Amino acid sequence: MCGIVAVIHADTSSDSAAADLHDALYLLQHRGQDACGIATCGSGGRIYQCKGNGLATKVFNDGERIAELPGFMGVGHLRYPTMGSASGSEAQPLFVNSPYGICISPQADNGNLLNSIPLKSFLDQEAHRHINTDSDSEILLNIFANELNESGKARVNAEDCFKSLEKTYKKCEGSWACTAMIAGLGLMGFRDPYGIRPIVIGSRKVEGGTDYMIASESVALEFFGCRPEHIRDVLPGEAVIIVKGSEPQFRQVQPAASYTPDIFEYLYFARPDSIIDGISVENARFKMGEKLAATIKTELGPERLAQVDVVIPIPETSNTSARAVAKHLEKELASGFVKNRYIFRTFLMSSQRLRRSGVRRKLNAMSAEFKDKTVLLVDDSIVRGNTSLEICLMAREAGAKSIIFASASPPVRHSHIYGSVPLFRMKALVASCKDENRIDLAISDELIAYSKTPAEVATAIGADMVIYQTLPDLVAACAELSPRGRDCYFESGVFSGCYVTGVPDGYFEHLEWVRGGNKRSKVPKTAGHTVNGTTVDEDLSQAGARVELEKAHSVVTPTSQDISLHNFND
C-alpha cells in the first residue's frame, strides 16, 4: 500500500521542496514502514536523493538530512514491500539517468504489474535495459523511460511525456498510482485504468504563483496548505503533468476500464481524516459500524445481545466502527486497550512470531474494562488471526467472562493480487467460477478464514463467537457516500476472489515465489541508507531487528535469469 508524494514550487530558486516532502512522509507513514526516500531536483537539473530502510525519522535522521536535498521540486516514497524484497537496494524513489534523468515514486510495488514477467523479458531482450531488483516499480520506470527515449529529442516536453505514458499503459497490466520527476522539466502523476490505487493533486497559492502537491491521501495536501476545493482525485487512466512555472495539464492517457478503488483503503489502510475518491474514510468506517451493528443484532438475538456489557475497539482503525456499533446497540463504549504508538504496525511485520509478540508491545489491556464482563471486541478485519489471537488472550487474562469478536470486514479468503495483503502463499490454483475474473485459491493457513467457518475461526483465536460484516454491507457502506452514486463498484477480490483486472495464467505461481516462496540470508551489515549515492550504515540494533522483518521476502523467482555471462559463443 506504499505512500507517494511529489511537490513542485512556483519559485524555481526555492530549495525547500524537501521540507514539504518530509512533512508529508510523516503524515503518510502508516502506508509503509519498511523503507522511505526523497529525491529532489535543484539548479541545473541535478538530482539529490536520500533513501534507505526504516522509518522517516531514522532515514532522515530526525530531519537533519533534509538540508542535503536542495531543490524546488521532488518526489518522496514510503515502501511496504509485497513484490520484490525488503532490501535497502529497493528503497525508493528509483532513478534512471537515461533518458533525461527520471525519478519515479510509485504505488506499483504494492499495486502490482500482472504482466511483469513478459515486461522484464522485453526490457532485457529488446530494450536492453538492465533490471537490478525484483521490484515491479523498476520495471514500470524502465518501460516509461524506454518509451520516452523513443522521442529521440535532446529535450522533451509535456506532450512527449503524455505520448510515452500512453504507450506505457498499452504495455502494462495491473494497478498503480505514481508520481514521477523529470530533471529540469517538472512532475507527473498517473493512475491505473481501474483506479485501484489512490492519488490526489492539490494546489496552494503563494507569493509569486502556485505550488502543487500530488500524494496518496488528501491529508498530506491539507497539511501542505491546499484548500479542499483545490484538491481533486487523479481519475482512472488519467495523467497530470506539471511543467515548472506552468499550470497542471491533465490527459486521459488510456480510457478508464472501470472506477473501482480498493475497498481496503476505506477499511484499514487510509487515515480516517483522508478523503479518497470523494468518500470520507471516517464516515465510511462509521457506516461500516452501523451495518455491522445490524448484523450483530441478527446473529446474537435479543437474549444474548442483552448479555453484552461493553463494546471495545481494537485501536486504532476500528475506533470509528466500534463507536457506531456501540451507538446503534445502545451499549457502553470503552477504551479497553491502551496503545503504545512507538512500534511498527503489526500488519507490516513479516514473520508471524514478530507480529504476535508485537501485539503485546503495542497494546495493553486494562483489567477494569474486562473483569467479569461479556465484551464485544470490534476490529477492522481478521486476516491471519495472529493479532486477534493475542488480543483475545489478553482480554481473557484481564478477566473477560466472554468474548464476542466482530469484524468490520467479511472473511479474508483470497490473495490480494494488487499487493495490499502480503505473503499469501499459494499452494494450488483452481478456477472454479464462470466469471473469468474469479480465481479460487487453495492457500496456506496464513489466511485464517480460508478454510474455516466463523465458529472455527472463533475457536482458533480464542473467542466465544466471531461475527463478520457481509460483503454487500461493506460495499454499501462506501457506495452510499460516493459522489459516483450508490451503484458504484470497488475492488474487493480479497473477499470475493473476483479481481477487476482479471488474472493472467501463471501469475499466482509467480507470486508464490516472489512473495516469500524462498528464504534468503540477510546480515545486519547490509542494512543502510543512501545519501547522494553513498551508503551509510544503520544503527546495528535497528539493522538486527530488520533481519527478522525481511526473512519472509524472497528475491528469487522462477523467472530469474543469469545475465552474468555475455557473448558466450561469439
Side-chain angles (χ1 to χ4, degrees), residues 1-5 28 30-31 105-108 110-111 175-179 189-192 194-201 214-218 232-236 259-266 269-271 274-279 281 418 420:
M1 62 173 171
C2 305
I4 59 172
V5 62
L28 299 174
H30 59 284
R31 299 193 67 88
S105 175
Q107 291 188 86
N110 72 320
S175 69
W176 58 83
C178 302
T179 57
F190 49 98
R191 190 179 190 184
D192 69 78
Y194 300 89
I196 296 170
R197 302 260 66 86
I199 180 171
V200 291
I201 179 173
I214 308 170
S216 301
E217 296 182 31
S218 62
R232 60 155 288 191
D233 295 287
V234 177
L235 301 176
Y259 201 153
T260 48
D262 185 356
I263 205 162
F264 236 99
E265 290 286 349
Y266 304 100
F269 292 134
R271 283 177 49 138
S274 287
I275 297 175
I276 296 178
D277 293 300
I279 301 172
V281 175
Y418 311 113
S420 295

Side-chain angles (χ1 to χ4, degrees), residues 31-68:
R31 299 193 67 88
Q33 300 179 5
D34 186 84
C36 64
I38 290 174
T40 60
C41 182
S43 60
R46 182 172 179 179
I47 302 293
Y48 302 83
Q49 64 177 346
C50 175
K51 60 182 181 176
N53 280 354
L55 301 174
T57 183
K58 177 70 177 181
V59 173
F60 302 114
N61 196 17
D62 291 324
E64 291 184 10
R65 296 196 177 276
I66 297 305
E68 302 171 21

Side-chain angles (χ1 to χ4, degrees), residues 204-387:
R204 69 178 181 189
K205 293 293 183 182
V206 295
E207 185 177 350
T210 304
D211 296 340
Y212 296 95
M213 176 179 279
I214 308 170
S216 301
E217 296 182 31
S218 62
V219 63
L221 277 62
E222 291 171 1
F223 185 85
F224 182 64
C226 304
R227 297 178 61 85
E229 60 269 26
H230 298 148
I231 298 174
R232 60 155 288 191
D233 295 287
V234 177
L235 301 176
E238 186 179 47
V240 56
I241 296 178
I242 311 171
V243 175
K244 62 180 182 181
S246 303
E247 294 183 355
Q249 302 175 53
F250 294 87
R251 182 172 300 180
Q252 197 72 32
V253 293
Q254 182 168 315
S258 64
Y259 201 153
T260 48
D262 185 356
I263 205 162
F264 236 99
E265 290 286 349
Y266 304 100
L267 182 70
Y268 177 81
F269 292 134
R271 283 177 49 138
D273 46 349
S274 287
I275 297 175
I276 296 178
D277 293 300
I279 301 172
S280 162
V281 175
E282 170 77 2
N283 292 345
R285 289 176 183 170
F286 194 86
K287 281 274 188 184
M288 293 174 198
E290 290 179 329
K291 295 183 183 299
L292 179 59
T295 300
I296 291 171
K297 278 185 178 180
T298 302
E299 292 282 331
L300 292 183
E303 183 176 343
R304 193 164 186 185
L305 181 60
Q307 297 172 3
V308 174
D309 296 303
V310 63
V311 176
I312 296 177
I314 311 304
E316 291 177 327
T317 47
S318 64
N319 288 354
T320 304
S321 295
R323 178 161 49 88
V325 168
K327 177 181 177 180
H328 286 268
L329 295 182
E330 298 181 342
K331 296 291 181 179
E332 176 190 354
L333 177 69
S335 298
F337 291 100
V338 177
K339 183 175 181 180
N340 174 14
R341 299 176 184 274
Y342 304 100
I343 186 174
F344 289 108
R345 289 175 98 177
T346 56
F347 178 87
L348 302 183
M349 292 182 173
S350 299
S351 76
Q352 293 195 10
R353 183 181 63 80
L354 278 175
R355 281 190 291 272
R356 291 183 63 175
S357 62
V359 175
R360 295 276 178 167
R361 293 193 297 269
K362 184 176 74 170
L363 297 176
N364 183 56
M366 294 191 291
S367 297
E369 303 296 348
F370 291 92
K371 188 171 178 58
D372 299 326
K373 293 180 180 180
T374 295
V375 296
L376 174 58
L377 303 182
V378 178
D379 206 352
D380 51 75
S381 59
I382 305 172
V383 182
R384 301 174 184 89
N386 301 291
T387 298

Side-chain angles (χ1 to χ4, degrees), residues 348-550:
L348 302 183
M349 292 182 173
S350 299
S351 76
Q352 293 195 10
R353 183 181 63 80
L354 278 175
R355 281 190 291 272
R356 291 183 63 175
S357 62
V359 175
R360 295 276 178 167
R361 293 193 297 269
K362 184 176 74 170
L363 297 176
N364 183 56
M366 294 191 291
S367 297
E369 303 296 348
F370 291 92
K371 188 171 178 58
D372 299 326
K373 293 180 180 180
T374 295
V375 296
L376 174 58
L377 303 182
V378 178
D379 206 352
D380 51 75
S381 59
I382 305 172
V383 182
R384 301 174 184 89
N386 301 291
T387 298
S388 304
L389 172 61
E390 290 299 317
I391 284 169
C392 289
L393 286 173
M394 292 167 67
R396 298 283 187 195
E397 292 167 3
K401 179 173 62 177
S402 180
I403 300 172
I404 301 168
F405 202 107
S407 168
S409 79
V412 178
R413 292 187 170 129
H414 303 273
S415 177
H416 198 305
I417 65 172
Y418 311 113
S420 295
V421 182
L423 295 173
F424 294 171
R425 301 178 183 175
M426 284 64 74
K427 294 180 179 177
L429 177 60
V430 182
S432 63
C433 180
K434 293 181 181 179
D435 183 344
E436 63 178 5
N437 291 347
R438 180 184 173 100
I439 302 292
D440 286 340
L441 297 176
I443 61 179
S444 73
D445 56 6
E446 288 184 54
L447 287 172
I448 193 169
Y450 176 74
S451 60
K452 291 182 174 66
T453 65
E456 290 170 334
V457 171
T459 300
I461 67 172
D464 296 286
M465 185 177 187
V466 165
I467 301 173
Y468 286 105
Q469 180 92 270
T470 68
L471 182 54
D473 279 348
L474 176 62
V475 171
C478 298
E480 290 171 7
L481 300 170
S482 175
R484 294 176 287 130
R486 294 190 174 208
D487 58 347
C488 62
Y489 295 96
F490 298 86
E491 163 50 39
S492 57
V494 69
F495 306 118
S496 65
C498 295
Y499 304 105
V500 297
T501 59
V503 185
D505 291 342
Y507 183 68
F508 289 107
E509 292 88 337
H510 175 59
L511 284 188
E512 164 66 16
W513 283 78
V514 177
R515 288 188 180 178
N518 297 282
K519 294 182 178 179
R520 62 192 176 96
S521 175
K522 297 290 292 182
V523 292
K525 67 179 182 179
T526 64
H529 56 269
T530 304
V531 181
N532 297 333
T534 302
T535 299
V536 182
D537 289 339
E538 286 191 73
D539 179 82
L540 288 182
S541 62
Q542 174 75 8
R546 302 216 68 76
V547 172
E548 291 293 335
L549 290 174
E550 293 168 356

